[in-house]
Amino acid sequence: MRRTTKRYGILLAVVCLIAGLIGGCQAIGGVDLNKALLSSFDMKTMEGKGSVEVSLELDEAALKEAGPDSAAMAAFSQMKLSFDHIKQESTQVASVKGALEVAKKSIPFTAYISPEALTVLPEGATKPFTISTTDLADPTGEGLYDGVDMKWMTDFQKKAADPNYIKPLYEYLLGKMPNPSKLKLESGNETINGESVYLHHVRADLDGKDILPLLRTFILNLMKDDQAMKAVIAQYYDVIQGAVNSFIPADMSGDDELSSVLGAIRSILQNKEEGVEVVQTEAKQLLVILLVMLDSEGTEAVKFLGDKSSMTVDLYVDNNMKVRKSVANLLLAPTETDASPLKSIRVKSSFENWNVNGTVKADTISTAGALDLMKLDGPEQALEAIKPESALYKFLKDDLHVTRKTGYFYVMPQEELDEYTAGWAAYSDNGVTMVPARSLAANLDMDLAWDAASQSVVLTTADGKHSIRLTAGSSKAALNGSTDLSLERPAVVEQGSFYVPLRSVAEALGANLQWEAESSSIIVTLD
């Protein structure tokens, strides 16, 4: 599985570069694609529509062995995200009206993005959901940059709100990208928002064997032009220096070699002229490393793509060299997938725009009473704001199983249990699996109440619908406060930990069990 994950990581990086390579074509038949693509930076306002479709080809047999991830993979195997009307009021304010088609369900939605937050109101929700732009920059919510001065990032985001600030970097990269070998140009009328428009249609095709040569040429082109690279570094030097200063404190001290090197780097960057030279030297060294990686990992990645993998991009450009419509088709069909249930991925996107730089007003969404996605206590809180009869609720609850809790328990022979393994490992008592109550509660997000006087525990599910009381030494349990439940084995205290019979407790609470012989483990899932 790790090997497959690594390959897909390489594959993702390759695909991202493919998109850039196709977009970086030089002039063809009088159509300057670089100029057309760069014109997007001049687009302040516009209206548009589009869609993104994703289709996963799955191996059903392998999917059954995929464990908890199989539900999400199956749910998203056929998905379409439609943007029926996009209104871009400015480079920072826009609204979208569309629908998500997934798991044979259609979920209409409206969305509004501002400099402060992204707000989404899906059909079936009683209140909107929101996430701040700050949290979008750090979606893990784990405070990855706690203790680090991120003013440089805030300043960069403000500057990047002006498309002209990023334009020189994009222009530099586009200028170094080579043409794909398969390019085709046709001209004719196309329909944009119901209106017939004369456009130049450029098609670029790539297959698996084209990728490595194009990537190598792109990297070599970057390395050859020292002056252009220095100019770009100088253009964004304040960002580079700010980032370095935030992660390397001014009072960096220490006798070790690393501290000395980091301190020297910070000191050198205080002089812009010297700093540009240093950054360029390091950048070229990184490009050399990328070339080496292409020769080692890249060959494997291209082989992994297979002969059937391909990518096609269609751009429709008007006489003013502005892209009015784009269609992209991507097929990833690896020749080797190991044990992964994913056999191939097909992605299709289509977008068109009109009323460019005209008067556009985005449709706002009130954030009164909105739920902040980063402050939810859990998926149960989100479901409380969604109508149970809605398609969204059924998708989240029945298809994605967002409230599902999963626990993994390694099962060892009872005689091997000791003070170090007790409390987290399960053991087998003549075929009956006993698990630590506290570990079971933690894995399934249940509340646990311990009564020392009666030597009993009460386990309560996260939704509060079910509870079970077990007492040490008793073969009976109280389910939901009244029902007597017979247990396979009495609850016991082993090595200071309270153990309960897993099957009896799990089935009483509505959980499912799955045995994994290879790892001698039991997977417990509770919806």
Side-chain angles (χ1 to χ4, degrees):
M1 183 62 71
R2 288 182 179 177
R3 186 183 177 195
T4 300
T5 302
K6 179 182 177 182
R7 284 177 168 178
Y8 274 108
I10 296 171
L11 193 60
L12 178 61
V14 169
V15 168
C16 290
L17 285 171
I18 292 173
L21 288 167
I22 289 181
C25 305
Q26 306 301 314
I28 170 175
V31 178
D32 188 340
L33 284 182
N34 281 4
K35 182 178 179 180
L37 292 169
L38 288 170
S39 71
S40 63
F41 288 95
D42 301 324
M43 187 184 297
K44 311 301 183 188
T45 67
M46 68 91 181
E47 293 180 75
K49 63 180 179 181
S51 65
V52 177
E53 298 179 59
V54 178
S55 178
L56 308 180
E57 183 186 3
L58 303 174
D59 184 311
E60 295 298 331
L63 186 64
K64 293 178 181 178
E65 303 296 326
D69 295 334
S70 62
M73 193 173 291
F76 285 106
S77 61
Q78 299 292 329
M79 181 186 72
K80 181 177 181 180
L81 188 59
S82 299
F83 306 100
D84 300 326
H85 198 173
I86 304 168
K87 296 181 179 180
Q88 180 178 310
E89 181 178 327
S90 69
T91 57
Q92 292 183 283
V93 178
S95 65
V96 178
K97 180 180 180 181
L100 172 65
E101 296 176 31
V102 63
K104 299 180 180 180
K105 299 175 178 66
S106 180
I107 306 169
F109 69 89
T110 56
Y112 177 72
I113 187 165
S114 69
E116 293 74 36
L118 167 65
T119 305
V120 181
L121 181 60
E123 186 177 272
T126 59
K127 56 184 69 175
F129 297 93
T130 187
I131 180 170
S132 72
T133 50
T134 301
D135 288 330
L136 282 172
D138 181 15
T140 64
E142 297 176 355
L144 297 178
Y145 308 114
D146 285 350
V148 178
D149 183 3
M150 297 300 290
K151 183 178 181 300
W152 68 272
M153 175 64 79
T154 304
D155 292 342
F156 173 70
Q157 289 174 335
K158 290 179 180 178
K159 292 178 180 178
D162 179 3
N164 290 320
Y165 181 72
I166 298 296
K167 188 174 181 178
L169 175 61
Y170 195 57
E171 188 172 15
Y172 165 69
L173 295 175
L174 280 179
K176 304 305 175 186
M177 290 179 178
N179 282 4
S181 59
K182 301 173 185 176
L183 283 173
K184 183 180 179 181
L185 172 65
E186 295 179 342
S187 298
N189 288 332
E190 288 288 331
T191 302
I192 303 291
N193 191 36
E195 178 185 355
S196 182
V197 181
Y198 185 80
L199 298 173
H200 306 288
H201 173 198
V202 179
R203 163 167 286 198
D205 290 288
L206 275 180
D207 55 37
K209 66 179 182 296
D210 297 326
I211 297 169
L212 196 59
L214 285 173
L215 294 181
R216 286 184 60 85
T217 301
F218 173 54
I219 293 173
L220 289 171
N221 286 345
L222 291 175
M223 295 176 64
K224 289 176 183 177
D225 195 340
D226 288 345
Q227 293 306 312
M229 184 182 292
K230 288 181 181 179
V232 170
I233 293 171
Q235 176 83 21
Y236 302 100
Y237 191 78
D238 58 334
V239 176
I240 298 170
Q241 185 181 24
V244 171
N245 288 347
S246 67
F247 289 99
I248 304 177
D251 58 351
M252 170 67 73
S253 60
D255 298 329
D256 59 291
E257 184 176 349
L258 178 60
S259 296
S260 300
V261 171
L262 293 177
I265 291 175
R266 181 185 171 103
S267 177
I268 290 173
L269 292 186
Q270 303 310 307
N271 182 300
K272 183 174 181 178
E273 184 177 349
E274 294 178 0
V276 168
E277 293 287 344
V278 170
V279 173
Q280 189 219 13
T281 300
E282 294 301 318
K284 293 188 72 170
Q285 288 179 349
L286 287 175
L287 291 174
V288 171
I289 293 172
L290 283 176
L291 281 176
V292 174
M293 289 178 63
L294 282 178
D295 288 336
S296 55
E297 304 289 356
T299 303
E300 180 185 358
V302 172
K303 179 183 177 182
F304 183 47
L305 280 170
D307 295 334
K308 295 181 180 179
S309 295
S310 63
M311 186 173 187
T312 302
V313 175
D314 295 274
L315 297 178
Y316 297 83
V317 183
D318 64 19
N319 288 328
N320 295 319
M321 293 299 108
K322 297 188 182 299
V323 177
R324 299 293 307 278
K325 181 178 179 180
S326 64
V327 179
N329 285 277
L330 170 67
L331 172 63
L332 299 178
T335 53
E336 302 174 21
T337 57
D338 294 339
S340 171
L342 184 59
K343 296 174 65 177
S344 70
I345 306 172
R346 187 180 295 276
V347 181
K348 178 181 179 180
S349 66
S350 176
F351 289 92
E352 60 185 67
N353 61 71
W354 62 91
N355 193 21
V356 176
N357 292 330
T359 301
V360 180
K361 183 66 177 177
D363 300 320
T364 61
I365 298 176
S366 173
T367 56
L371 286 177
D372 188 328
L373 289 174
M374 299 303 293
K375 295 180 180 178
L376 293 179
D377 293 331
E380 291 83 5
Q381 186 180 355
L383 287 178
E384 290 175 0
I386 303 172
K387 298 175 183 178
E389 68 274 12
S390 68
L392 176 60
Y393 186 96
K394 293 174 181 177
F395 172 64
L396 294 175
K397 188 76 166 65
D398 303 333
D399 297 311
L400 282 189
H401 302 286
V402 296
T403 59
R404 174 173 289 177
K405 315 300 179 186
T406 304
Y408 297 84
F409 296 94
Y410 170 66
V411 183
M412 61 171 49
Q414 184 175 6
E415 60 272 16
E416 295 183 10
L417 194 72
D418 57 27
E419 59 181 311
Y420 301 105
T421 55
W424 64 266
Y427 68 83
S428 177
D429 179 3
N430 294 319
V432 176
T433 301
M434 305 291 289
V435 298
R438 191 168 298 280
S439 181
L440 180 65
N443 277 272
L444 302 185
D445 198 24
M446 295 189 293
D447 290 328
L448 182 148
W450 165 250
D451 185 348
S454 62
Q455 290 287 289
S456 64
V457 298
V458 177
L459 298 172
T460 306
T461 57
D463 58 12
K465 294 181 178 179
H466 300 289
S467 66
I468 185 170
R469 175 184 287 273
L470 304 104
T471 304
S474 174
S475 58
K476 294 287 185 179
L479 182 63
N480 296 328
S482 57
T483 306
D484 278 340
L485 176 70
S486 296
L487 304 174
E488 293 180 289
R489 291 284 189 278
V492 296
V493 177
E494 287 281 358
Q495 301 287 339
S497 295
F498 195 95
Y499 274 76
V500 300
L502 177 59
R503 184 171 297 278
S504 298
V505 174
E507 291 182 348
L509 297 176
N512 295 310
L513 304 179
Q514 179 183 340
W515 170 251
E516 279 196 348
E518 185 178 351
S519 61
S520 297
S521 301
I522 289 181
I523 302 175
V524 187
T525 54
L526 176 64
D527 284 314

